[in-house]
């Protein structure tokens, strides 16, 4: 069962992405002109998306994939183009609605099932792969690990996720970011030292059947995130 802190943060994220920052995210995830800050975030997110996709098989036909925190659907489109049966879920009904509009045309040999809800819902069933790009970065490290435990129980092969690495440049960037208008700010993230996170994952008894794989940090302007691969042993 999700912790109280997980549920509280989930509520904050729903409010932010479904109400406060909808227009900003529409522009950020489109080709529309954006300011300098958002341009660096857009470029960083695109690079991270390519990185995570690169850790998955090129041919996903016959594979069921969860896009956990799908936002406006860019990752889901890439996965479906490789043939995956994608379940794309997000807390925000508004963002999921926008994703459905943008993905109304056929996306390739696969298909996308957009849903509104919590990525940890066991009713979503089993998956071959799970992708969680920048959807766990807002949760405390213990809550992130418990979320990965819950996802791992429904994953046959691999999970590729991101976290916010605790670094001095990132801390300085966050401090500077507070000086900008609220519309330019992302919701609060929870940085964690990579060594601490990997230790928590390695020590968790519910993840003994899993091994840490590739890891890569993407730092581009006001975007910093670290990808991590976990594979079933």
């Amino acid at each position: 069962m999700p912790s109280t802190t997980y549920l509280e943060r989930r509520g904050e994220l729903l409010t932010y992405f479904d109400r406060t920052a909808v227009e900003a995210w529409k522009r950020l995830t489109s080709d529309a002109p954006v300011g300098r800050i958002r341009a660096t975030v857009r470029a960083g997110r695109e690079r991270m998306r390519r990185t995570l996709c690169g850790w998955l098989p090129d041919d996903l036909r016959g594979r069921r994939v969860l896009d956990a925190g799908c936002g406006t659907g860019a990752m889901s489109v890439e996965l479906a183009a490789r043939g995956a049966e994608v379940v794309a879920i997000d807390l925000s009904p508004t963002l999921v609605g926008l994703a459905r509009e943008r993905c109304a045309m056929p996306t390739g040999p696969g298909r996308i099932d957009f849903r509104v809800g919590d990525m940890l819902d066991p009713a979503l069933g089993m998956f071959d792969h799970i992708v969680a790009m920048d959807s766990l970065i807002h949760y405390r490290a213990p809550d992130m690990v418990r979320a990965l435990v819950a996802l791992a129980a429904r994953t046959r092969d691999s999970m590729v996720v991101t976290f916010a690495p605790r670094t001095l440049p990132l801390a300085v960037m966050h401090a500077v970011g507070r000086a900008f208008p609220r519309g330019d700010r992302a919701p609060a993230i929870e940085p964690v030292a990579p060594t601490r996170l990997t230790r928590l994952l390695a020590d968790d008894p519910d993840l003994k059947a899993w091994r840490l794989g590739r890891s890569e940090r993407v730092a581009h302007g006001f975007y910093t995130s670290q990808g991590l691969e976990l594979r079933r042993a």
Side-chain angles (χ1 to χ4, degrees), residues 182-198:
R182 185 170 297 275
D184 283 325
R185 301 184 203 172
I189 66 171
E190 296 285 346
V192 57
T195 52
R196 180 182 179 226
L197 179 60
T198 55

Side-chain angles (χ1 to χ4, degrees), residues 14-202:
L14 173 58
T15 298
Y16 180 85
F17 286 107
D18 202 52
R19 302 174 192 174
T20 308
V22 169
E23 292 304 319
W25 276 88
K26 281 182 181 179
R27 294 183 65 83
L28 179 68
T29 58
S30 71
D31 295 328
V34 292
R36 178 177 58 87
I37 294 172
R38 291 178 183 154
T40 65
V41 174
R42 177 188 283 173
R45 284 176 55 82
E46 175 60 29
R47 181 176 162 192
M48 179 57 78
R49 186 163 49 249
R50 291 197 305 268
T51 297
L52 298 187
C53 284
W55 294 347
L56 296 174
D58 290 335
D59 187 351
L60 289 169
R61 287 174 293 182
R63 304 292 185 94
R64 194 164 187 257
V65 183
L66 177 66
D67 185 0
C70 65
T72 55
M75 178 73 77
S76 297
V77 170
E78 171 65 24
L79 298 172
R82 298 186 189 189
E85 298 294 310
V86 184
V87 174
I89 192 164
D90 200 280
L91 292 173
S92 168
T94 303
L95 291 184
V96 171
L98 180 60
R100 286 195 180 106
E101 291 176 12
R102 291 181 177 180
C103 304
M105 298 298 292
T107 53
R111 93 185 162 86
I112 306 173
D113 176 12
F114 284 109
R115 304 192 190 186
V116 176
D118 191 330
M119 60 187 168
L120 302 188
D121 184 355
L124 296 173
M126 291 295 297
F127 297 92
D128 296 289
H129 305 279
I130 287 181
V131 181
M133 178 178 145
D134 295 347
S135 53
L136 294 172
I137 62 174
H138 306 289
Y139 297 99
R140 299 188 314 170
D143 288 336
M144 182 189 302
V145 171
R146 297 318 299 169
L148 289 172
V149 167
L151 293 171
R154 297 187 282 115
T155 308
R156 300 182 186 94
D157 192 344
S158 72
M159 301 186 291
V160 292
V161 306
T162 63
F163 66 94
R166 184 182 296 280
T167 64
L168 179 58
L170 185 58
V172 171
M173 198 173 301
H174 288 167
V176 171
R178 294 190 189 99
F180 289 97
R182 185 170 297 275
D184 283 325
R185 301 184 203 172
I189 66 171
E190 296 285 346
V192 57
T195 52
R196 180 182 179 226
L197 179 60
T198 55
R199 185 174 65 252
L200 288 172
L201 293 170

